[in-house]
Amino acid sequence: MSIKTKLAWFISLTVIVILSLNLSIYYFSTSSQLQRDAEQQMVGIAKQIGETLDAAQRSKQLIEDSVGEKLRLASISAQGKLGPDINKITNGQLVMLSQELGVDYITLWAKDGDDITAQKSSNPKAIGASSKALGYWYTAFSQLFEMRQVIIPQGQKLNHFWSPPITIIPSDLNDVNKLGFYYNDKTNYLINPIVHAGAFFNLENLKSSDAIAQQIIADNPSILEISGFSPAFYKDPQVILMKDNVPPYKLDNKSMIFGRYNYVDLHDYTNLMKADQTGAIVTTKAKIHGHKVLKSFIPMSGTSKSVIVVNINYAAIKQPLYHQLFIQILISLCLMGAAVACSSFIAGFMIRTLEMIMQRVHDISRGNFGEQIVIDSNNEFGALASQVNAMSSNLHSYQTQLTAAAKELLHTKQYLESFINNTSDAIHVVDLEGRTIDANKAFETMFGWTLAEAAGQKLPMFKPEILAELSEKGKTILNGGQVTDYETVLYRKDGQPVEVSITLSGIRDERGYFVAYASIARDIAERKRTEEIMRRSEKLSVVGQLAAGVAHEVRNPLTTLRGFVQLMQKDSRLDKSYLNIMLSELDRINLIVSEFLVFAKPQADRYQEADLYAIMNDIIVLLDSEANIHNVQMITCLEPGVPPLRCESNQLKQVLVNVMKNGMEAMPDGGELTLELARESEENILIRIKDQGVGIPEEDLARLGEPFFTRKTEGNGLGLMISQQIIQHHKGTIRYDSKPGAGTCVEIRIPFR
């Protein structure tokens, strides 16, 4: 789908959504308002009927009180014509007395154990009735028999007289009657005159309210039914049918004050009781007789104390809404059509410039960078066109650079691959756990494993003690350090040892985290042999230089001995002190020659514990004659009690002789050569040799130790190189500090272990 179509659809959908929201808001707000109006209408109807009921109730109460007073007078008159004992009175007497006094029935109630029962009556149906079954009636009867004023809230209370509200008596459930009960201490019974009140009840409560309700229904076709229910006659609801095991209930018709009760709902009784108890209007919706009905239960708080139920056809009140909504929908559809047409035109106009830019971008994607977009506009499209033109120029420049860079990278890649695969050094890459990731051909040649065999494996190239050292080296790399020229012994696939010099480095991922180690191993067996030859050659050179000094040193005691021997030839006797001098001179010759032979004799590398204090004293004795020749005074500061050092003593002597001879030769006019020995820390021992010679230029300091680099006319430049290698083999360091004219200080540090 093109951008033009999408833009047109987007604008159209936006309009559609807005119109739909408008219709929805209109529908729900109007629907709610119509329901509120209907509820207000129902409340008005209920109030109108309630006022009628209140007026009828007040009239009824006045008439009912008047009838009650007449019943009391009839009771007093009946007492005067009847005897005091109920057992002497007949039912026939009561029939005649009823006709005489103008009442419908007369019933006499008397105590019967713990009950008060109807024992004589002009109405045979009433005989035997129990007052206990009549609830508060029994309380009223008991209070009358006790000669007290009746104090229950129900009914009319006069002196010695109580009349309940108009009700349906148990003897005639189909009639509404007004009853009175009179008693004083002159009889042993209650006198109960009864008159029919059905006509009066219907006239006052039904006709006026029912007529108003029917007139309201006739004037308002949306109102389906209006009913009035009295709390005084509430009874348990009647089950009228079973549906899905749920019993729907219908209110007892006898609790109705007026109206009809045809629109029956399952929850009518519950809602009626809720409205009566809370005093609030309860409104519900239900589907009854094919109509969606809005039912409102409206409590009346006047003297009538009733709940009026108004049923309105919900569809009728929604009819105007649906009509208006239909008109709104037609208008919205027209607006939508216009919006679609306008959006299509606007999208075409807006997209024209974008299509030019798209065409240019398409040309750029095919590698055509020459053309430019010309748009005379300062809006976003103009800015976009300028950016596309700039992008085209930049891409052309970048393409040229990338082409050149790609060629260079290809050349570099080929060069590196050729270098890695053809170098004689073994390159081995492992992950942080030691598993092989990659290796070159030289690795296979040197150690015997092919890459296919080694991939993902931890190769048994290392002895346990070497693994511990490599672990420390790995920590050094992870901490940002470097490991170069680390000499160790690795093992081939067939178990043969290989002496190598290793350079270790870390490999990082794109986030800068270490993910692998790379090692470059070089076989140094041949180099070791060459170094040993060079070391021996240098030693011989040093021995040759020392020979002259040793010869000079030996000549002095020999001259002394020769003089004493000549003296003995002249005089056969020789003083004992002369013999002691001769023995001393012979011991001195023996010591000088022994030290010279030990230094000159080739020794195998054997690391043993040695006393550096003694070694340095031996060197001092060995070089004493040379110091005298150069007018050099040796000053010693040797700390006693320095722990033994595990080393190769002959090699350390060679280093010390080289350094001390260099110091002497740097002082052609003589001077002081200071020798210091101290325990620097728990791990290291320090040897410091300082001279007062001419010093070393700064540019030469960096080259000290290079093979064949020397400023001496007769030197070969191998002495310091061999000395450095010896110190490295002892895991130590050698450092030079010198300035021209200020002498040189050489510090040698060797670890105890």
Side-chain angles (χ1 to χ4, degrees), residues 91-347:
N91 293 327
Q93 273 184 280
L94 295 176
V95 172
M96 294 176 59
L97 186 58
S98 298
Q99 294 174 355
E100 181 181 345
L101 295 177
V103 296
D104 293 313
Y105 304 110
I106 295 177
T107 302
L108 303 181
W109 298 72
K111 292 183 177 180
D112 185 7
D114 61 348
D115 195 3
I116 300 174
T117 60
Q119 299 181 7
K120 300 292 177 68
S121 178
S122 61
N123 182 6
K125 296 180 180 180
I127 297 174
S130 170
S131 63
K132 274 194 171 182
L134 300 178
Y136 64 85
W137 286 28
Y138 176 76
T139 303
F141 290 177
S142 299
Q143 292 173 356
L144 287 173
F145 272 115
E146 294 172 1
M147 293 298 294
R148 292 190 297 145
Q149 183 71 24
V150 176
I151 58 175
I152 63 173
Q154 296 90 346
Q156 181 182 9
K157 280 82 71 176
L158 298 174
N159 189 28
H160 299 296
F161 180 81
W162 175 70
S163 176
I166 294 176
T167 186
I168 302 172
I169 62 174
S171 60
D172 191 356
L173 296 178
N174 294 321
D175 202 357
V176 180
N177 300 281
K178 180 67 175 174
L179 297 84
F181 297 90
Y182 180 82
Y183 174 80
N184 59 22
D185 57 354
K186 295 180 181 179
T187 62
N188 60 359
Y189 55 86
L190 287 174
I191 300 175
N192 172 211
I194 302 170
V195 295
H196 292 301
F200 160 73
F201 185 80
N202 291 334
L203 175 64
E204 296 299 330
N205 291 281
L206 292 177
K207 290 185 179 179
S208 57
S209 298
D210 193 60
I212 293 173
Q214 294 305 317
Q215 184 61 45
I216 292 173
I217 292 172
D219 294 340
N220 297 274
S222 61
I223 299 177
L224 300 174
E225 186 177 77
I226 301 176
S227 309
F229 295 88
S230 174
F233 292 91
Y234 286 171
K235 295 182 180 180
D236 291 337
Q238 301 173 342
V239 179
I240 59 174
L241 57 88
M242 294 291 290
K243 182 178 181 182
D244 297 331
N245 296 324
V246 178
Y249 297 102
K250 179 180 179 182
L251 296 171
D252 191 346
N253 286 330
K254 293 177 181 178
S255 64
M256 290 183 60
I257 302 174
F258 66 89
R260 297 177 180 83
Y261 185 39
N262 296 320
Y263 288 87
V264 180
D265 183 54
L266 172 66
H267 305 289
D268 281 352
Y269 178 75
T270 302
N271 293 328
L272 190 75
M273 295 298 292
K274 182 178 179 181
D276 178 52
Q277 293 170 2
T278 61
I281 299 173
V282 178
T283 301
T284 61
K285 296 176 184 176
K287 189 71 175 292
I288 305 173
H289 303 325
H291 296 287
K292 190 173 182 181
V293 179
L294 185 69
K295 299 175 73 74
S296 285
F297 298 81
I298 306 167
M300 294 289 104
S301 58
T303 56
S304 62
K305 191 59 178 176
S306 60
V307 176
I308 297 175
V309 182
V310 181
N311 298 283
I312 293 182
N313 187 351
Y314 194 71
I317 65 175
K318 285 293 188 71
Q319 193 65 34
L321 172 62
Y322 293 146
H323 177 72
Q324 189 63 31
L325 187 64
F326 177 73
I327 295 174
Q328 292 286 341
I329 291 173
L330 289 178
I331 296 173
S332 298
L333 289 175
C334 294
L335 292 175
M336 289 179 187
V340 170
C342 292
S343 63
S344 178
F345 174 77
I346 294 172

Side-chain angles (χ1 to χ4, degrees), residues 17 32 99 121-122 163 197 208 275 353 402 552 557 571 607 623 642 735:
V17 169
S32 299
Q99 294 174 355
S121 178
S122 61
S163 176
S208 57
T353 305
L402 286 174
H552 174 77
D571 187 358
Y607 285 82
L623 295 179
V642 174
R735 189 175 73 86

